[in-house]
Amino acid sequence: MKRTEIKQILATDAQGQEMLVKGWVRTFRGNQFIALNDGSTINNLQIVVNFENTPPEILSRITISACISVSGKLVK
């Protein structure tokens, strides 16, 4: 799967498509919501973590400024 820039995602209507995004964590709230930025725009993309299927040791490593790769379906 090819990486897509956040700028491109926000400019398109690709609802339901599988996406791969890489960037830096701006915020991580409630162990579920990540504001991700890749530098292509000042806007962030909100990532909703499926914490039931994500191991706790991975969740504990997600901190502000961490660089992560996320794949999933785009939902408005």
Side-chain angles (χ1 to χ4, degrees):
M1 181 181 321
K2 184 181 173 195
R3 180 182 70 90
T4 307
E5 290 184 338
I6 291 174
K7 182 178 182 178
Q8 294 171 326
I9 292 171
L10 296 175
T12 186
D13 185 26
Q15 298 297 316
Q17 290 187 20
E18 195 77 20
M19 299 277 177
L20 173 66
V21 182
K22 297 180 180 183
W24 294 270
V25 175
R26 284 297 198 60
T27 61
F28 187 28
R29 297 176 287 117
N31 250 12
Q32 190 171 12
F33 301 103
I34 298 173
L36 190 71
N37 191 286
D38 66 359
S40 65
T41 178
I42 62 170
N43 298 312
N44 297 323
L45 186 65
Q46 179 171 279
I47 308 297
V48 180
V49 178
N50 184 344
F51 62 91
E52 293 176 356
N53 292 332
T54 306
E57 55 273 4
I58 298 292
L59 291 174
S60 68
R61 295 181 65 195
I62 301 173
T63 59
I64 294 173
S65 297
C67 186
I68 63 172
S69 176
V70 179
S71 64
K73 288 187 181 180
L74 184 65
V75 179
K76 192 168 187 171

